[in-house]
Amino acid sequence: EALSGCDVVVDSGFSLGAANRVNMDILSAALAQGKIVLSLRQNATALFAGAAHGNLHCCLDADQILRFLDNCSPAATKNTRKSL
């Protein structure tokens, strides 16, 4: 439901643990729905192995996320600007 209005989801690299399990579920659901996930996590590829379908992009910092969004086609990020 919450993901229906967005095209891109950003993983801030939050600490993994029981308290953040819901956040991991949201990221997994986003990938399963074919959403683009931009992750600041160095091990994102290993965490979501098999679920990414080419939609998981590891970014080094917020500037790289913004450059990615600027270079995306408007159709791929039609809801992005209102979601930020």
Side-chain angles (χ1 to χ4, degrees):
E1 325 154 356
L3 293 172
S4 65
C6 66
D7 302 301
V8 177
V9 177
V10 175
D11 169 18
S12 66
F14 55 85
S15 299
L16 297 176
N20 289 322
R21 186 66 205 157
V22 172
N23 292 337
M24 289 299 293
D25 293 343
I26 290 170
L27 293 172
S28 294
L31 289 169
Q33 293 176 28
K35 308 288 185 183
I36 295 169
V37 174
L38 304 177
S39 181
L40 293 173
R41 194 178 302 279
Q42 291 182 1
N43 63 342
T45 306
L47 276 176
F48 299 105
H53 305 292
N55 289 336
L56 176 63
H57 302 274
C58 296
C59 300
L60 298 175
D61 54 29
D63 287 336
Q64 196 171 22
I65 288 173
L66 293 173
R67 281 193 304 276
F68 182 94
L69 293 173
D70 285 342
N71 291 322
C72 279
S73 69
T77 59
K78 64 182 180 294
N79 295 317
T80 302
R81 294 300 175 195
K82 72 175 186 179
S83 299
L84 291 176

